[in-house]
Amino acid sequence: AYSLSISFVSTILFFILVGNESKIFTKKLLYILSFIIFAYTMSMLIPIFYDFTFNTPNTFYLYGQQSFIAEEFNFLGHTNQRVTGIARMIVILFCILLFYGSDFIKNNKIIASKSIYTSIILLSLSFLTFSMWGLQSRGAFISYGVVLLMFLTFDNLNWRLKIFTIIVICILPIFLFEKVSDAKFLKRIEKKQTTEDIRPKNRVAGLVIDNTQDVTTGRVAIWKRSIEKFEKKKILGYGESGDRRSLKRNKEGISYKEKHLWDSNASNAFIYSLLSGGVVGTLFFLMFAILLGVYILKLIFIKKIFTKYSFEYRASVAIISLLLVRTLYENGFSQFGIDFLMVLVA
């Protein structure tokens, strides 16, 4: 149920973000909602982390647990979401909380209240980073990097506080996760009394097969096949979900080491547009993406949104930016309705 919970919490916070722009929520109500969301999130996270730490000796990252295996059935008989989708929602949640926390620290003058809520926010952000590292979604960490880069570069929080925040919410959770994994591995070695086991390395740097590093997890091979298919229908493409139509192939008989090279997901919004709408459709998408990029730059450098506006606006710009960057390695808002909806609302 963790994947559904993350989606639920992210959606609630997203609507709070939109609603607060219209001053629907008072500060007191926002604080109460933040505490409820924190308590709810922790109630879902703690059992998963406990199970990961003590009950799954052969699992070193969260993507290997039953709660996150896409083919497994969990809450109400539904299959789990893919880790990429869960991680994306975690990044959205992380982004909103990060800029909300920045605003809270700057605007709240009551020391006692400030300390309590700041601790809650920092702890929540740390847990989210812990989760992201465990899920090992490289796409999510690119989005995560976009959010942190915008926070460090443009947010007007004091630099000392920025550095402290990065250490607490980024470096320490990742360090802690790796230490937990190392401890689990050593315990397994001691139990088996052998040193032949190899601890799985993190997958953030890419997929490793037969000691060969594939940084793009097969994307380059898929893009090459996509261009070949595009050459056959240049003007209007293959229609909706053109990548699925043109790249689909029976994988029976293909080695598991090469199956990811024959996926039918274009994993790039521009290539997806070429396959689905040809040159005509891609021109419209390209125009939309360029206008969106120019709009973001205008908000940052002309409107000075990160120095003059509240967290709702800053988080919205960061969300649009990460979703725009996401189109380089996923189909993004060229296909996924939830991405497009978030771009429109933000």
Side-chain angles (χ1 to χ4, degrees), residues 1-13:
Y2 175 69
S3 59
L4 293 177
S5 300
I6 282 295
S7 298
F8 169 73
V9 170
S10 302
T11 303
I12 293 297
L13 268 185

Side-chain angles (χ1 to χ4, degrees), residues 23 36 43 45 63 107 128 148 157 209 287:
K23 306 303 178 186
I36 292 173
S43 70
L45 281 172
Y63 62 77
N107 299 332
L128 292 174
L148 291 178
L157 186 67
I209 296 178
M287 203 162 37

Side-chain angles (χ1 to χ4, degrees), residues 93-163:
L93 179 55
F94 180 90
C95 178
I96 297 171
L97 279 178
L98 179 63
F99 288 104
Y100 169 64
S102 173
D103 256 21
F104 180 83
I105 292 171
K106 287 180 291 189
N107 299 332
N108 198 307
K109 304 301 181 183
I110 304 173
I111 301 300
S113 172
K114 187 173 182 177
S115 299
I116 294 171
Y117 284 110
T118 299
S119 299
I120 290 174
I121 292 168
L122 289 175
L123 188 57
S124 299
L125 290 168
S126 298
F127 267 108
L128 292 174
T129 298
F130 192 90
S131 298
M132 270 193 292
W133 186 256
L135 292 173
Q136 292 286 289
S137 170
R138 285 168 296 121
F141 264 90
I142 293 173
S143 299
Y144 182 75
V146 170
V147 173
L148 291 178
L149 182 62
M150 298 187 83
F151 170 70
L152 286 171
T153 307
F154 302 115
D155 197 86
N156 58 357
L157 186 67
N158 180 283
W159 261 101
R160 289 182 179 178
L161 289 175
K162 283 184 182 180
I163 299 300

Side-chain angles (χ1 to χ4, degrees), residues 155-317:
D155 197 86
N156 58 357
L157 186 67
N158 180 283
W159 261 101
R160 289 182 179 178
L161 289 175
K162 283 184 182 180
I163 299 300
F164 172 77
T165 300
I166 294 300
I167 292 172
V168 172
I169 70 173
C170 301
I171 298 174
L172 288 180
I174 293 174
F175 177 79
L176 177 62
F177 193 103
E178 287 297 315
K179 285 300 178 183
V180 170
S181 291
D182 286 342
K184 291 176 69 175
F185 177 69
L186 290 174
K187 186 176 181 180
R188 190 171 80 169
I189 292 294
E190 291 172 1
K191 187 175 180 181
K192 289 189 173 184
Q193 295 182 343
T194 176
T195 58
E196 294 180 359
D197 280 336
I198 299 176
R199 179 190 181 290
K201 294 182 179 180
N202 73 74
R203 302 193 305 185
V204 171
L207 190 66
V208 178
I209 296 178
D210 290 342
N211 296 319
T212 301
Q213 189 85 7
D214 184 358
V215 177
T216 65
T217 321
R219 280 175 171 79
V220 171
I222 294 170
W223 294 340
K224 288 179 180 177
R225 288 171 50 223
S226 299
I227 297 301
E228 292 174 1
K229 296 294 183 180
F230 162 70
E231 293 290 339
K232 298 178 181 179
K233 290 191 176 184
K234 293 183 180 179
I235 307 300
L236 296 175
Y238 294 83
E240 183 185 1
S241 298
D243 54 348
R244 309 289 184 182
R245 295 167 185 263
S246 61
L247 299 175
K248 186 177 180 181
R249 173 172 173 165
N250 189 338
K251 293 185 181 181
E252 289 184 14
I254 297 177
S255 168
Y256 80 95
K257 299 175 183 178
E258 296 184 358
K259 281 189 176 182
H260 66 289
L261 303 175
W262 298 95
D263 285 344
S264 59
N265 183 357
S267 296
N268 180 287
F270 302 95
I271 290 178
Y272 172 80
S273 299
L274 285 172
L275 291 174
S276 298
V279 173
V280 176
T282 303
L283 284 175
F284 283 102
F285 178 76
L286 192 60
M287 203 162 37
F288 175 76
I290 291 172
L291 289 173
L292 191 60
V294 170
Y295 178 64
I296 291 170
L297 293 174
K298 181 180 177 182
L299 288 174
I300 294 173
F301 295 107
I302 297 177
K303 296 288 186 180
K304 306 291 183 183
I305 199 163
F306 279 93
T307 56
K308 296 181 179 179
Y309 291 83
S310 60
F311 88 94
E312 302 97 316
Y313 299 93
R314 305 202 307 279
S316 293
V317 169

